[in-house]
């Protein structure tokens, strides 16, 4: 409550500025907020308003990104109701918890970049070396909370996130920028938008170099081993190791019906709190990710048909050099089994994806908008390499003396391929005035586990001029990852090639209400049932888990004046692990987010954010106290039009230096949880050349 009062105080003080000035930009405020920002494509493939879309969705615009001073998408996704960004120990990779659905590798959330999945097949997530994504080149982020497999197939399970990058019309000439701040963080970017040889061209390059925050961990997994074995190898108390370097480049060219998009993401990540939750000051991981998408889209293919064809290539290489346990570690108690240089591992994963997608809308039936699609996806984990200085012996590790290449003898996983064929149909039927029924069904055939059918039904009623009501149902699936299917030579996590996909059925009721031209409200209620959850029980992956959940999410967007806008959301969820009849654990049961943006003058504006996270319970087997609640406050002061076309921003994150922690995986590994950054300050400067 004190933090909320402090935020309200800071916000009210920020409104005490110069008198209101009228400008062309001010006159366009409502149009900017309630125009394009209210539209999305992710729900059906058609452009629709959020209120009319047959889904529970939220949008983050480029304008909001700029106002909040966000530096990475994780800071933005935390503003979505019902979505909380937690972190894993290894590399501090983000875990997007949606409606209480959470796991350490987080394969239950599908991420798209320009509509194309960036899922890595080894863990079924965005990569074990994801390393975040910068925001300067992002036009908008569309988020659906709830099922999406009827359109997107696997992994659109708890939710779908679509990141849309800027095209040539959204970048005016050349823009350069740089930022610097706490944790020795330096960022820089270059963007260009224009026409080259008749092709609409957009290019961007973004770089990051940071040492990362240095919050302390008092005890880790090695601390427990030291107590049990009688060694003293632990590096705790010690700092987490979250430094990183990244390079993101993107090229988008288009002409007439053709579009070509190329991208590269390079990452170098430090070990976080250690892959095994034992502090690692030397470990690092690297990733190179390449994509090439070629799209042909003809909106006047014939009288009642349009047509879209896309070929996508995605290649991902991850290379790790890890110290799993520190020098002096011993897992057996025998002096001859001590690791003087630590337990070392160098696992590398190479994978490539080829996909062909064909789709078409048919409008020849009165009051029907029919979409048809077919496609093929080839997933190839084409190389597994591993070097290590140990051999597993039950739960113990036996020293080999030096690093040994075990790629051809006892690797951690296998070189495998997967072929996927799919087809879907969707019909949006305006069967009566103000009523639309959207029905869809997708069929996927997997070469490893077989067939899956995923339906959706959405009834949207324009109840009144101001109120829209929705009744939604959807089924989604999450395909088993190659780690879950093909892990070998790992005594605590063995794969199972006979796994079935995880299944979720979700039921939702949603309401969107325009109280006035300046105030929009929304609320939704949801209930879901998860089945065949894949867990390593006790050491081999099996379909053993069940979970149910219910809750509500509310949003309010209020344009108080042409100068002041306020946005807020609240989310509540309760999820139950049916195997233990207890809370599903780790995810917050309640979240509150508030944001205010105020234009002090035509040049200066201030943005304030409050994020309150509470009621995170432990798993039934974890006897530690519940995870602490927290409230953070951020401020961003921005000046536009300096000397002209120069923009300056000053940001404070976690202004009141709140202690923020995310849950560690297992009791006893890192008993005090994973600390996040305290107070931090950043300065940003950008200039445009028209």
């Amino acid at each position: 409550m004190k933090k909320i009062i402090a935020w309200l105080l800071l916000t009210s003080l920020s409104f005490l500025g110069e008198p209101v000035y009228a400008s062309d930009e001010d006159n366009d405020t409502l149009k900017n907020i309630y125009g394009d920002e209210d539209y999305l494509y992710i729900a059906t493939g058609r452009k629709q308003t959020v209120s009319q879309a047959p889904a529970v969705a939220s949008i983050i615009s480029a304008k909001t990104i700029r106002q909040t001073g966000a530096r990475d998408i994780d800071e933005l996704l935390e503003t979505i109701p019902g979505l909380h960004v937690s972190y894993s120990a290894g590399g501090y990779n983000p875990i997007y918890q949606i409606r209480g659905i959470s796991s350490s590798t987080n394969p239950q959330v599908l991420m798209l970049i320009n509509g194309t999945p960036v899922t890595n097949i080894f863990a079924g997530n965005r990569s074990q070396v994801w390393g975040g994504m910068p925001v300067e080149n992002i036009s908008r982020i569309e988020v659906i909370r709830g099922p999406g497999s009827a359109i997107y197939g696997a992994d659109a399970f708890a939710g779908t996130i679509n990141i849309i990058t800027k095209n040539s019309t959204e970048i005016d000439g050349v823009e350069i920028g740089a930022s610097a701040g706490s944790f020795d963080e330096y960022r820089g970017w270059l963007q260009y938008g224009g026409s080259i040889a008749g092709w609409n061209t957009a290019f961007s390059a973004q770089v990051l170099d940071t040492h990362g925050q240095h919050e302390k961990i008092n005890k880790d997994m090695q601390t427990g081993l030291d107590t049990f074995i009688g060694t003293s190898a632990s590096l705790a108390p010690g700092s987490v190791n979250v430094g990183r370097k990244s390079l993101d480049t993107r090229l988008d060219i288009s002409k007439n019906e053709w579009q070509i998009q190329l991208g590269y993401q390079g990452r170098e990540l430090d070990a976080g709190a250690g892959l095994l939750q034992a502090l690692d000051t030397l470990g690092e991981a690297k990733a190179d990710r390449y994509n090439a998408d070629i799209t042909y889209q003809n909106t006047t293919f014939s009288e009642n048909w349009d047509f879209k064809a896309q070929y996508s290539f995605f290649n991902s290489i991850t290379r790790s050099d890890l110290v799993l346990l520190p020098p002096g570690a011993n897992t057996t108690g025998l002096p001859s089994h001590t690791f003087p240089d630590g337990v070392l591992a160098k696992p590398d994963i190479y994978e490539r994806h080829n996909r062909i997608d064909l789709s078409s809308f048919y409008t020849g039936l009165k009051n029907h908008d029919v979409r048809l699609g077919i496609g093929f996806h080839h997933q190839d984990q084409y190389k597994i390499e591993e070097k290590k200085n140990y051999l597993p012996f039950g739960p113990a590790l036996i020293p080999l003396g030096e690093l040994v290449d075990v790629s051809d003898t006892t690797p951690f996983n296998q070189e495998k391929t997967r072929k996927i064929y799919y087809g879907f149909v969707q019909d949006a039927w305006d069967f009566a005035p103000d009523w639309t029924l959207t029905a869809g069904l997708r069929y996927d055939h997997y070469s490893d586990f077989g067939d899956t059918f995923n339906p959706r039904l959405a009834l949207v009623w324009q109840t009144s001029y101001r109120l829209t009501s929705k009744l939604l149902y959807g089924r989604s699936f999450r395909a088993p990852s190659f780690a879950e299917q093909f892990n070998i030579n790992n005594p605590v996590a063995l794969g199972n090639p006979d796994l079935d996909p995880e299944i979720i059925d979700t039921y939702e009721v949603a309401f969107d209400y325009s109280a006035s031209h300046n105030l929009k409200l929304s609320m939704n209620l949801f209930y879901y049932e998860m089945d065949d959850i894949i867990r390593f029980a006790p050491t081999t992956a099996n379909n053993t888990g069940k979970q149910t959940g219910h809750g509500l999410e509310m949003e309010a967007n209020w344009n108080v004046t042409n100068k002041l806008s306020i946005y807020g959301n609240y989310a509540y969820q309760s999820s139950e692990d049916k195997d233990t009849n207890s809370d599903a654990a780790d995810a917050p049961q309640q979240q509150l987010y508030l944001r205010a943006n105020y234009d002090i003058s035509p040049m200066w504006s201030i943005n304030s954010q409050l994020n309150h996270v509470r009621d995170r319970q432990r798993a039934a087997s974890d006897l530690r106290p519940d995870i602490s609640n927290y409230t953070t406050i951020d401020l961003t002061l921005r000046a536009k039009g300096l000397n002209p076309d120069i923009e300056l921003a000053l940001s404070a994150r976690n202004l009141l230096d709140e202690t923020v922690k995310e849950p560690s995986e297992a009791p006893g590994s890192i008993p005090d949880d994973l600390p996040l950054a305290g107070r931090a300050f950043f300065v940003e400067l950008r200039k445009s050349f028209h």
Side-chain angles (χ1 to χ4, degrees):
M1 183 58 68
K2 291 180 180 178
K3 298 296 192 289
I4 295 174
I5 293 172
W7 179 84
L8 292 171
L9 260 177
L10 287 167
T11 301
S12 62
L13 288 172
S14 71
F15 301 155
L16 300 178
E18 300 180 19
V20 173
Y21 294 83
S23 69
D24 291 339
E25 183 177 354
D26 298 331
N27 295 332
D28 290 337
T29 299
L30 290 177
K31 180 181 177 182
N32 290 337
I33 293 179
Y34 294 104
D36 289 343
E37 189 172 343
D38 261 346
Y39 286 86
L40 79 162
Y41 294 83
I42 191 175
T44 61
R46 287 286 200 198
K47 184 178 181 180
Q48 295 176 295
T49 63
V50 171
S51 61
Q52 292 294 325
V56 174
S58 298
I59 292 176
I60 303 171
S61 69
K63 180 178 180 180
T64 298
I65 295 172
R66 184 78 64 90
Q67 287 176 341
T68 60
R71 304 170 348 268
D72 187 89
I73 59 165
D74 291 351
E75 294 178 316
L76 297 167
L77 294 176
E78 184 70 18
T79 71
I80 298 293
L83 193 163
H84 174 60
V85 182
S86 186
Y87 293 89
S88 64
Y92 265 49
N93 269 318
I95 300 172
Y96 301 140
Q97 300 173 335
I98 298 180
R99 296 176 169 177
I101 299 173
S102 179
S103 68
S104 59
T105 53
N106 197 214
Q108 297 90 355
V109 176
L110 177 65
M111 179 170 284
L112 314 170
I113 297 181
N114 296 316
T116 302
V118 291
T119 305
N120 282 228
I121 50 178
F122 173 72
N125 58 12
R126 298 156 294 281
S127 169
Q128 295 295 83
V129 192
W130 167 242
M133 185 171 174
V135 301
E136 294 302 328
N137 186 235
I138 295 178
S139 170
R140 57 202 286 110
I141 302 174
E142 303 175 341
V143 181
I144 285 181
R145 306 183 300 281
S149 287
I151 293 291
Y152 296 103
D155 310 327
F157 190 86
T160 305
I161 300 167
N162 187 27
I163 299 170
I164 302 172
T165 57
K166 294 178 180 177
N167 59 36
S168 61
T169 65
E170 298 171 284
I171 307 172
D172 187 8
V174 176
E175 179 185 284
I176 59 173
S179 70
S182 300
F183 321 128
D184 293 321
E185 179 175 299
Y186 301 94
R187 295 175 182 264
W189 63 89
L190 166 68
Q191 298 188 98
Y192 166 78
S195 179
I196 299 178
W199 288 79
N200 299 319
T201 303
F203 171 79
S204 71
Q206 302 172 85
V207 295
L208 162 69
D209 189 344
T210 177
H211 288 176
Q213 51 102 346
H214 302 293
E215 298 295 322
K216 299 287 185 181
I217 285 180
N218 293 318
K219 296 179 180 180
D220 64 357
M221 187 185 109
Q222 185 61 46
T223 305
L225 276 177
D226 287 344
T227 301
F228 182 71
I229 300 293
T231 52
S232 57
S234 176
L235 301 178
S239 302
V240 295
N241 192 20
V242 292
R244 62 185 54 185
K245 297 179 182 179
S246 68
L247 168 64
D248 289 66
T249 61
R250 296 201 175 272
L251 177 65
D252 184 330
I253 60 175
S254 61
K255 185 177 183 179
N256 300 326
E257 291 87 10
W258 291 93
Q259 182 179 31
I260 301 173
Q261 295 174 310
L262 307 175
Y264 168 76
Q265 291 182 314
R267 298 289 185 269
E268 294 184 19
L269 273 64
D270 290 340
L275 185 64
L276 298 185
Q277 300 193 65
L279 288 178
D280 178 1
T281 59
L282 301 176
E284 64 176 9
K286 298 180 180 181
D288 295 288
R289 299 190 289 270
Y290 308 86
N291 76 277
D293 306 318
I294 302 174
T295 305
Y296 173 82
Q297 185 166 11
N298 190 334
T299 57
T300 57
F301 187 72
S302 67
E303 181 179 358
N304 296 313
W305 294 88
D306 71 5
F307 177 70
K308 179 179 179 180
Q310 184 179 68
Y311 165 73
S312 298
F313 172 78
F314 177 56
N315 193 83
S316 175
I317 302 171
T318 62
R319 300 175 301 279
S320 302
D321 188 352
L322 305 173
V323 183
L324 301 179
L325 296 177
N330 188 314
T331 61
T332 67
L334 298 174
S336 60
H337 287 176
T338 298
F339 291 84
D341 298 320
V343 177
L344 309 179
K346 292 186 176 183
D348 300 338
I349 305 167
Y350 298 73
E351 59 180 78
R352 64 172 69 98
H353 301 245
N354 287 277
R355 113 180 22 242
I356 297 174
D357 300 283
L358 307 175
S359 64
S360 182
F361 279 97
Y362 176 68
T363 54
L365 297 175
K366 185 178 180 181
N367 299 325
H368 289 266
D369 189 16
V370 180
R371 187 185 185 195
L372 304 170
I374 59 173
F376 169 72
H377 183 193
H378 185 261
Q379 301 176 329
D380 185 6
Q381 188 169 276
Y382 63 92
K383 187 188 295 185
I384 293 290
E385 295 183 338
E386 183 179 16
K387 294 180 180 179
K388 57 188 178 184
N389 69 344
Y390 67 91
L391 282 177
F393 185 74
L397 304 177
I398 309 301
L400 292 176
E402 60 183 14
L403 279 171
V404 176
D405 191 336
V406 298
S407 305
D408 297 325
T409 54
T410 57
F412 64 96
N413 205 267
Q414 306 171 61
E415 296 172 4
K416 293 286 185 177
T417 62
R418 172 187 280 169
K419 296 179 182 179
I420 306 166
Y421 302 88
Y422 77 86
F424 70 82
V425 59
Q426 172 187 270
D427 180 22
W429 176 27
D430 298 326
F431 65 91
D434 302 323
W435 290 84
T436 300
L437 176 65
T438 300
L441 177 67
R442 173 164 167 151
Y443 163 75
D444 288 82
H445 173 75
Y446 278 67
S447 59
D448 45 7
F449 63 76
D451 304 327
T452 177
F453 292 87
N454 292 272
R456 73 183 298 193
L457 286 172
L459 183 62
V460 179
W461 175 29
Q462 190 65 49
T463 315
S464 70
Y465 178 74
R466 296 183 179 277
L467 176 65
T468 304
S469 306
K470 306 177 187 180
L471 182 63
L472 312 171
Y473 163 75
R475 166 171 286 194
S476 283
F477 74 102
R478 199 272 286 182
S481 69
F482 278 17
E484 293 164 332
Q485 288 183 306
F486 306 122
N487 261 10
I488 52 177
N489 303 309
N490 186 333
V492 297
L494 290 172
N496 179 357
D498 297 322
L499 291 174
D500 293 322
E502 296 182 352
I503 300 296
I504 187 171
D505 291 285
T506 303
Y507 308 83
E508 300 168 285
V509 178
F511 305 94
D512 289 88
Y513 180 66
S514 294
S516 70
H517 190 62
N518 297 326
L519 176 61
K520 288 197 171 186
L521 307 171
S522 65
M523 183 186 76
N524 68 275
L525 305 170
F526 65 86
Y527 172 79
Y528 66 79
E529 296 180 350
M530 293 170 59
D531 202 1
D532 288 333
I533 299 174
I534 301 171
R535 294 172 177 165
F536 288 93
T539 58
T540 301
N542 284 291
N543 295 104
T544 61
K546 297 179 184 292
Q547 180 175 317
T548 62
H550 65 274
L552 66 87
E553 297 151 354
M554 299 185 294
E555 290 184 274
N557 203 330
W558 184 21
N559 245 32
V560 185
T561 68
N562 286 344
K563 294 293 184 180
L564 172 62
S565 62
I566 296 176
Y567 168 80
N569 66 59
Y570 169 79
Y572 165 80
Q573 67 83 22
S574 177
S575 301
E576 183 179 4
D577 184 336
K578 304 305 288 187
D579 291 350
T580 61
N581 295 318
S582 62
D583 189 87
D586 294 342
Q589 291 187 352
Q590 297 190 74
Q591 295 170 258
L592 173 67
Y593 174 78
L594 299 171
R595 179 175 71 238
N597 195 84
Y598 181 64
D599 293 334
I600 302 171
S601 72
M603 180 180 294
W604 291 92
S605 64
I606 189 168
N607 184 280
S608 57
Q609 300 180 98
L610 179 146
N611 187 39
H612 180 62
V613 174
R614 66 178 301 111
D615 300 340
R616 294 176 291 173
Q617 298 184 29
R618 305 283 189 184
S621 60
D622 191 338
L623 301 181
R624 291 177 292 173
D626 288 347
I627 305 144
S628 298
N629 306 332
Y630 68 81
T631 304
T632 58
I633 293 174
D634 304 329
L635 285 180
T636 298
L637 180 66
R638 187 172 295 275
K640 296 181 290 185
L642 299 172
N643 189 25
D645 300 322
I646 292 179
E647 188 171 313
L648 172 70
L650 305 171
S651 292
R653 321 304 285 189
N654 193 2
L655 180 64
L656 302 184
D657 201 25
E658 177 84 337
T659 298
V660 180
K661 292 189 176 183
E662 291 300 323
S664 56
E665 259 186 77
S669 295
I670 297 180
D672 294 332
D673 294 315
L674 304 175
L676 301 191
R679 183 187 295 117
F681 298 96
F682 301 93
V683 59
E684 168 198 307
L685 188 67
R686 68 179 74 212
K687 179 173 174 57
S688 299
F689 302 88
H690 304 292

